[in-house]
Amino acid sequence: MFQGELDRERFSCDLRRTVETETGYRATLRVHVSKDLRVSGCYGSFVPGPNPAHVAMATLDWRTTLAVELTHSRALDEKRGVVVQTVLSYTSQQGERRTRVHSLSLCCSHHLLDTFCNCQAQTLLTFYCKKMYCAVLERPLQELREELQTEVTESLACYRKHCSASSVSPGQLVLPQYLKTLPVYLNSLRKSEVLLPGLRSSVHQRLQLRCQVVSMDTKTTAGHFYPLLLPLPVGGNTSSPLSLGEAVRCTAASLDHGGLYLVHGPLVLLLWVGHNVSNTSLVQLFNITCLSTLPSGETKLPVLDNPLSVSVRSLINTLNSQTHYTRKLRVVKQGDSCEEALQRLLVEDKSPNGGASYADFLYHLHVNSIQLLVR
């Protein structure tokens, strides 16, 4: 529902951003690869055709992202490497037909450890997110969730068998150095609203969320599946702008009942207020003296001349400038019925939809990877 007072600024910002963004039309993308390689899949916000190496899009801009999956039929030449070339053609806003060509040369290695050393958890999360969110239109959700768990289980078992030290005990969990955050990312993906719907999520809401997330780049995708949980200073003990370096883990154990926390994701901006927060903080931030008079829901912070108010509003403006969407601030009081909105963002805990906690998921990954090795 559109609310004039709260949505006017957000609508104006999003409209201005859309109008001012340079856009291309009738775009086609062709991906060419070396011999023994082939394009087995391409995932993003477009209607797929019969050939994954040839993508057609109605429009695109600098925010358009795609994930391309490559497979090889036999061992690749370690000396020659491989080359991937993309050819993008589109019509500019001035009616000119333009073509851009990008060529990328990649090294090849027969050593599995080299592969793990050059992997990035956020990149893999983005790839799996696009692949699974594109597949939800054709495959059962339970099957997709199980496939994600199988993928990460087999990866851990493979690393443990071929790359870890022989002295590792069976009870010790072994994770690749650069993929230690992958389990928490993929668990968050498995229990997201798109792959594990809640009772209150409609098909239309899930479809909108799918379209928004599948278009995100790597950094934005990582921020969506593991949002920043920022503790705010209470009691007026701040005299400088707040720093993003103070983020804590996304779990209820990180929340102090006497604190204020800002939860920042690409699509959400939420302010959690503990039931023991000081009256001084309530006065400085909301201009009220009693927590019971503070309404939960979408709001706009009053402009007050004190260090806490100035710092928090400055931080919110900074965070909004880093996202593709203008978000409304939502206040959630501890113990309110709307606190479920926060629980869905505490991705290390068990979700309201029934998704496993990070600790439980990590335990199952460890047990299953050990079972794969002893078969």
Side-chain angles (χ1 to χ4, degrees):
M1 181 182 297
F2 184 83
Q3 300 174 336
E5 190 63 29
L6 291 175
D7 289 318
R8 182 181 297 111
E9 182 178 351
R10 185 176 71 157
F11 177 78
S12 299
C13 291
D14 287 344
L15 179 61
R16 183 182 305 108
R17 184 177 296 156
T18 301
V19 172
E20 293 178 351
T21 298
E22 187 75 18
T23 304
Y25 303 92
R26 296 177 56 197
T28 59
L29 175 69
R30 291 179 174 85
V31 183
H32 306 284
V33 294
S34 298
K35 184 180 178 181
D36 298 327
L37 271 182
R38 68 180 180 89
V39 179
S40 56
C42 189
Y43 314 105
S45 185
F46 62 92
V47 179
N51 184 1
H54 184 189
V55 177
M57 295 173 284
T59 63
L60 83 163
D61 55 42
W62 66 272
R63 296 170 294 187
T64 303
T65 60
L66 302 175
V68 178
E69 184 175 14
L70 305 177
T71 58
H72 57 91
S73 55
R74 59 182 181 179
L76 303 175
D77 191 331
E78 197 169 11
K79 295 181 179 179
R80 297 179 57 185
V82 296
V83 176
V84 179
Q85 185 180 76
T86 60
V87 180
L88 175 65
S89 298
Y90 63 94
T91 301
S92 69
Q93 291 176 305
Q94 293 75 31
E96 300 173 341
R97 193 65 180 171
R98 298 176 179 175
T99 299
R100 291 187 176 184
V101 180
H102 294 275
S103 299
L104 178 65
S105 178
L106 300 174
C107 299
C108 298
S109 175
H110 293 161
H111 302 288
L112 192 59
L113 183 60
D114 292 338
T115 301
F116 282 103
C117 289
N118 288 279
C119 285
Q120 293 182 334
Q122 294 184 353
T123 303
L124 288 175
L125 167 68
T126 306
F127 169 76
Y128 282 121
C129 171
K130 293 184 187 300
K131 183 176 181 178
M132 296 302 163
Y133 275 21
C134 288
V136 296
L137 304 178
E138 302 174 351
R139 297 172 57 189
L141 301 183
Q142 178 64 26
E143 181 180 311
L144 296 177
R145 294 196 300 269
E146 291 176 354
E147 182 177 325
L148 276 172
Q149 181 168 330
T150 301
E151 289 274 357
V152 66
T153 300
E154 292 178 346
S155 297
L156 294 181
C158 184
Y159 180 81
R160 188 184 189 97
K161 180 179 181 179
H162 299 286
C163 304
S164 63
S166 57
S167 60
V168 175
S169 65
Q172 182 178 349
L173 176 64
V174 179
L175 293 172
Q177 177 66 27
Y178 298 102
L179 296 180
K180 290 186 176 180
T181 57
L182 185 62
V184 70
Y185 279 143
L186 291 192
N187 186 46
S188 180
L189 172 59
R190 289 179 70 252
K191 60 184 181 179
S192 61
E193 288 289 325
V194 175
L195 296 184
L196 187 63
L199 296 176
R200 300 180 185 179
S201 60
S202 67
V203 173
H204 300 89
Q205 290 172 329
R206 290 171 55 213
L207 179 60
Q208 180 189 23
L209 181 61
R210 172 193 173 276
C211 292
Q212 290 174 323
V213 177
V214 82
S215 302
M216 292 178 177
D217 58 24
T218 300
K219 180 180 179 181
T220 309
T221 301
H224 174 74
F225 288 104
Y226 200 98
L228 284 175
L229 181 58
L230 303 168
L232 304 180
V234 294
N237 295 323
T238 179
S239 58
S240 60
L242 301 179
S243 168
L244 293 183
E246 302 171 351
V248 296
R249 297 179 64 169
C250 288
T251 173
S254 300
L255 301 176
D256 181 359
H257 296 178
L260 298 165
Y261 294 83
L262 192 66
V263 186
H264 160 64
L267 303 176
V268 65
L269 190 62
L270 187 148
L271 179 59
W272 183 82
V273 184
H275 56 60
N276 290 334
V277 68
S278 67
N279 290 336
T280 302
S281 298
L282 293 176
V283 172
Q284 291 185 341
L285 195 56
F286 302 105
N287 201 25
I288 60 173
T289 57
C290 182
L291 182 61
S292 61
T293 61
L294 176 65
S296 293
E298 297 172 350
T299 187
K300 190 172 183 179
L301 294 179
V303 179
L304 303 174
D305 187 16
N306 63 73
L308 180 61
S309 177
V310 171
S311 295
V312 172
R313 287 184 287 109
S314 175
L315 176 58
I316 290 175
N317 290 335
T318 300
L319 294 175
N320 274 330
S321 68
Q322 299 172 356
T323 62
H324 300 331
Y325 303 94
T326 305
R327 295 129 342 137
K328 290 183 292 186
L329 178 66
R330 185 175 183 182
V331 172
V332 172
K333 294 191 297 184
Q334 183 181 2
D336 274 10
S337 57
C338 60
E339 197 174 22
E340 181 181 333
L342 173 68
Q343 294 172 353
R344 290 197 298 267
L345 300 173
L346 300 177
V347 296
E348 292 199 29
D349 297 337
K350 185 175 181 179
S351 72
N353 302 353
S357 68
Y358 171 52
D360 290 340
F361 182 66
L362 203 59
Y363 171 78
H364 287 297
L365 289 183
H366 174 58
V367 172
N368 293 339
S369 62
I370 294 297
Q371 290 176 347
L372 283 178
L373 294 176
V374 298
R375 286 179 182 175

